[in-house]
Amino acid sequence: MSQKIKVKLTRTINMHAKRNGVIIIWILGALATVSPLAIDLYLPAFTQIADDFNTIPAQISLSVSSYFIGMAIGQILYGPLLDRFGRKKPLFAGLFVFIVASIGCSQSQNLEALVAWRFIQAIGGSAAWVSAVAMIRDFFPVEQSAKIFSLLVLILGVSPLLAPTFGGFIATAFGWQAIFFVLTAIGAVILLITLLFLPEGHPPDTGISLKPRPILLTFISIIKQPQFNTYTFSSAFSFATLFIYVAGSPVIFMEIFQVTPRVYGGIFALLSVGFIGCSQLNIFLTRIYSSEKIFRAALICQTMASLLFLAGAWSGLFGLYASIGMFFIILSCLGICNPNANALALAPFTRNIGSAAALLGCTQIGIAALASSGVALFNAQDTIPIVALMAVTCSISWLLLMMGKRRMGATVASATHSENRIH
């Protein structure tokens, strides 16, 4: 074969791989939006739901926390299934459960029923997220992980930018129940897209046992890996600030500062810009600095901002605009922290990636869910309890990183091999 033909063939293969990679990123992004849409779309309807159930909006946040807990448990369930049966079959089953539970949410007659259906909805929706995380490692070389995570956040950003405004419109025009019918339709469309266009990222591995003891031993071996547990637990407490914000923002903005649902949707979109924008800035930063250095610097900024926010809220100096500004800084730092922490946590693994991704997601979301439940537990009626929760979780995140760094020493596994994983 002549040199020209070889060069032409190589270019054709690279173009095909690149085109397939773009399609896969968009599909993984769509999967990643399932749970954020389920969380964000109904936030402006808190007051309407509370009125129907004869309770207060702070109690409706329990349905957010139950979704977070369901996501954490669901990811543990799906991790071994994704490794044993391949990615697509468990994914289809999860999306089907999500669709059924969304209909159940729309028919809820009281808070207890809504909380229960939201838990089941999360069990189904978590399959989409953990599958997307696992397939990043299936389709792309490990050194691109932080970049791909950042691109997913860009696609993911459509949810917080548009969902609250769209959800407020739906609730006002058709009632809060219609929001869950919309989620049913979204789940059905994404199920169809993955069925038709998403390739199988990982062949079934018959060596993966589904018996409780081998599964437990696999999870134990994963969590014992020093780099995994350091960045997983540290990022989990950092990530908790997002869940606390989601659960507490309707109380802060609509109850304390008395903004309308439409204005709240605009504020939510504005704050999402910081999270999304910094996740894209991270793509540029990873070309210059290591993910380890980027994560550490962003976490320091997030912790200092949360402590400053608490001091300002405690002294009564921060009104609506200052509160928006502080939330913007904290969420922007998270947009940089999260992609790098995820990439660093998964970098040491070449097998059981589905289980590792599930344990990563379960830990992050489980800790964040417990932290966000504090909004309802403390029956938050002002800004201080919500901001205090954020300051505590950020501080714990920083302490865990410092303790983990001492255990790991100077060796941090980074992504260095250039294997092309695009099928």
Side-chain angles (χ1 to χ4, degrees):
M1 185 183 295
S2 69
Q3 186 64 27
K4 288 184 178 180
I5 295 176
K6 287 182 179 180
V7 170
K8 187 175 181 180
L9 181 60
T10 300
R11 288 177 179 174
T12 302
I13 293 172
N14 289 339
M15 287 177 63
H16 179 69
K18 185 176 181 180
R19 183 169 60 251
N20 285 351
V22 171
I23 294 171
I24 288 170
I25 289 172
W26 278 104
I27 295 175
L28 297 185
L31 289 172
T33 62
V34 170
S35 282
L37 283 172
I39 295 166
D40 297 337
L41 200 63
Y42 87 128
L43 294 179
F46 265 33
T47 301
Q48 190 180 113
I49 299 172
D51 290 342
D52 276 6
F53 292 167
N54 195 27
T55 185
I56 60 175
Q59 291 301 310
I60 302 300
S61 67
L62 285 172
S63 65
V64 178
S65 297
S66 72
Y67 193 96
F68 293 156
I69 293 170
M71 283 182 68
I73 295 173
Q75 292 189 66
I76 284 293
L77 295 176
Y78 287 112
L81 295 176
L82 290 168
D83 288 330
R84 175 64 178 81
F85 296 109
R87 309 305 191 209
K88 297 185 74 170
K89 289 182 180 179
L91 173 59
F92 295 156
L95 288 173
F96 179 77
V97 171
F98 178 87
I99 291 168
V100 173
S102 297
I103 297 173
C105 289
S106 70
Q107 303 303 308
S108 298
Q109 300 297 314
N110 52 54
L111 178 59
E112 291 76 14
L114 179 62
V115 169
W117 276 116
R118 289 282 288 170
F119 176 82
I120 298 171
Q121 187 186 38
I123 293 291
S126 60
W129 171 253
V130 72
S131 297
V133 172
M135 285 189 281
I136 289 175
R137 286 296 310 274
D138 292 339
F139 292 120
F140 300 96
V142 68
E143 71 270 16
Q144 293 184 15
S145 294
K147 176 183 176 181
I148 302 302
F149 275 118
S150 295
L151 290 173
L152 280 193
V153 172
L154 177 61
I155 301 170
L156 200 64
V158 174
S159 168
L161 280 174
L162 302 179
T165 302
F166 188 42
F169 170 77
I170 296 171
T172 302
F174 305 105
W176 63 267
Q177 294 90 345
I179 292 173
F180 291 102
F181 285 119
V182 170
L183 288 172
T184 301
I186 291 172
V189 170
I190 292 177
L191 175 58
L192 182 62
I193 290 172
T194 56
L195 179 64
L196 296 177
F197 301 108
L198 182 66
E200 177 61 76
H202 187 277
D205 187 347
T206 56
I208 301 294
S209 173
L210 295 181
K211 294 180 180 180
R213 189 172 184 274
I215 290 175
L216 182 60
L217 291 175
T218 296
F219 282 133
I220 291 173
S221 68
I222 291 170
I223 206 165
K224 281 184 176 180
Q225 212 288 329
Q227 181 167 327
F228 176 84
N229 62 52
T230 294
Y231 288 102
T232 294
F233 284 101
S234 179
S235 67
F237 281 94
S238 171
F239 189 64
T241 57
L242 177 62
F243 282 38
I244 295 167
Y245 159 73
V246 169
S249 60
V251 177
I252 290 177
F253 294 119
M254 291 195 289
E255 296 298 309
I256 298 172
F257 292 119
Q258 295 291 306
V259 305
T260 65
R262 181 172 296 181
V263 172
Y264 168 72
I267 293 171
F268 204 93
L270 172 65
L271 295 176
S272 300
V273 169
F275 180 74
I276 300 163
C278 283
S279 71
Q280 301 315 295
L281 174 63
N282 184 60
I283 296 175
F284 172 75
L285 293 175
T286 54
R287 298 172 184 170
I288 305 174
Y289 306 103
S290 68
S291 290
E292 179 189 6
K293 291 181 179 179
I294 297 169
F295 176 70
R296 185 171 65 248
L299 183 58
I300 292 173
C301 292
Q302 187 188 38
T303 304
M304 293 178 64
S306 65
L307 293 172
L308 178 61
F309 195 1
L310 177 60
W314 188 276
S315 61
L317 296 177
F318 288 174
L320 173 61
Y321 297 111
S323 297
I324 292 173
M326 296 309 300
F327 275 127
F328 187 91
I329 295 171
I330 292 170
L331 295 177
S332 295
C333 292
L334 179 60
I336 295 176
C337 286
N338 193 248
N340 291 289
N342 288 347
L344 288 164
L346 295 178
F349 301 100
T350 57
R351 192 167 185 258
N352 293 317
I353 295 173
S355 296
L359 191 57
L360 169 66
C362 174
T363 305
Q364 287 183 337
I365 295 171
I367 289 174
L370 291 174
S372 69
S373 66
V375 175
L377 180 64
F378 297 129
N379 202 21
Q381 301 292 320
D382 59 60
T383 307
I384 294 174
I386 297 170
V387 177
L389 284 170
M390 300 178 80
V392 169
T393 56
C394 285
S395 299
I396 292 174
S397 176
W398 171 248
L399 289 174
L400 289 174
L401 178 62
M402 292 299 97
M403 292 167 60
K405 289 287 290 179
R406 291 175 184 173
R407 287 187 293 107
M408 286 189 297
T411 304
V412 176
S414 60
T416 55
H417 71 78
S418 58
E419 174 192 356
N420 182 6
R421 293 182 182 267
I422 301 294
H423 294 287

